[in-house]
Amino acid sequence: SQNQSSSSSIISRFQEYLQINTAHPNPRYYEAADFILSQAESLSLESQTIEFVENKPLVLLKWPGKDPKLPAVLLSSHTDVVPVESHKWTHPPFAAHIDSDGNIYARGSQDMKSVGMQYLEAIRKLKDSGFEPTRTIYLSYVPDEEIGGRDGAEKLVESDVFQKMNVAFVLDEGMPSADDKYRAYYADRSPMWLVIKATGAPGHGARLYDNTAMENLLKSIESIRRFRASEFDMLKAGLKTTGEVISVNLVFLKSGTQTPAGFVMNLQPSEAEAGIDIRVPPTVDQDAFERRIAEEWAPASRNMTYEFKEKFSTLDIFGKPAVTIADSSNPWWVLLEEAVLNAGGKLEKPDIFRGATDASFFRQRGFPAVGFSPIANTPGLAHDHNEFLNQQEYLKGIEIYAAIIKAFASYAEQTESKASKYEL
Ligand SMILES: CSCC[C@H](NC(C)=O)C(=O)O
Ligand SMILES: [Zn+2]
Ligand SMILES: [Zn+2]
């Protein structure tokens, strides 16, 4: 109805979703699921709730196409958000307050409850206009992306349910842009979360001697910093994008001998460790990179060991870099690009996402996936204080998705198979 589709009801529904506190460590997943299910009902979409992991409901919606033999498209979003420091926000992070400029303040307004609701609003528009999909559209509302996605998107892609969905293409989150061009991502960098540990001879704090744990660790840190600087230089010089360099950031240092009175000052400790968040683009030879770590950053000869707290393979099940082809040879990419342009949007050339999104799980298993959030002219505030999205930008994003979904759902070629991206 006209009322259901008015801008103010569209914004109210977005606010309602934002007001559900799905922040870790205690996300209100059932409230989010109930809300999505109620939206699905109002749109007459088929729905099911799956708990691959107890207390972590995943909602799957289906808009059946007229030709059920055609492979489907999946529109994915995560329902969880990262925690907040409420007192550092100018507006409460779960109030979805709208200021006089029309900015909606809330955790999740960019990352990524906007996207989850925009998919549904776009479908509402298409339904209101009488459009009927030829190809089936699925929507997944998954838990746990913000804590690694293992109990969310990864469980879905590994499931029989997913197999039966016969998915040909996946859309998931991207990043906002400060300029007027939307960003789209055809790959993610793989996290390699490294902890290196040095041991050495303990001794008096006044003594100068070789082979202390601290010295052993610091030699590695010097080498790691040189590597970091060389990668950063390529970024600074504009030779590579963020997604194309290896980022290496020290995230913790741990050593010293502690007593209830504090650190002991005149004792050189026998152990020291460092945590490093490393992100590698899909073209990096991870085995060679790991040899470098073993030889230069954690050599046994310097009494060092290492372990990975997390490591995503850069390769998919075919042993190829887990990338989605984003050029004229991939019809999904062409449809996406044309739809964005036709709806009045601009698109920057596709890039590699700096972090790891749920799209990684799909690409790792051979499914083409693109990361895209229709948020332009907006400072990127995902995970930051005062995350906001302007309501006009939100409404424009719905038009963009309506164009994309219409193009995908109308596309009637029976071309795709899981391996097709390598046969092109
Ligand atoms: C190993 S899962 C980590 C997931 C998180 N994703 C994003 C989008 O920031 C990250 O890249 O740190
Ligand atoms: Zn996200
Ligand atoms: Zn996030």
Side-chain angles (χ1 to χ4, degrees), residues 391-408:
Q391 52 184 359
Q392 294 312 323
E393 194 61 32
Y394 177 76
L395 295 171
K396 191 168 144 202
I398 294 169
E399 301 301 328
I400 299 283
Y401 276 130
I404 294 172
I405 296 169
K406 187 173 183 177
F408 285 173

Side-chain angles (χ1 to χ4, degrees), residues 185-250:
Y185 301 90
Y186 64 93
D188 289 349
R189 292 193 303 179
S190 296
M192 294 176 78
W193 290 348
L194 177 70
V195 175
I196 56 174
K197 184 171 176 179
T199 57
H204 198 288
R207 204 181 132 221
L208 277 169
Y209 59 96
D210 282 324
N211 192 34
T212 70
M214 285 291 196
E215 284 296 308
N216 287 341
L217 182 70
L218 284 169
K219 280 176 190 158
S220 295
I221 290 175
E222 279 166 17
S223 170
I224 290 166
R225 289 192 64 212
R226 271 197 303 278
F227 180 81
R228 181 183 187 275
S230 68
E231 292 291 311
F232 200 2
D233 281 347
M234 285 190 279
L235 181 63
K236 285 173 181 164
L239 298 171
K240 288 190 177 181
T241 65
T242 296
E244 290 167 343
V245 294
I246 300 178
S247 65
V248 176
N249 289 307
L250 208 50

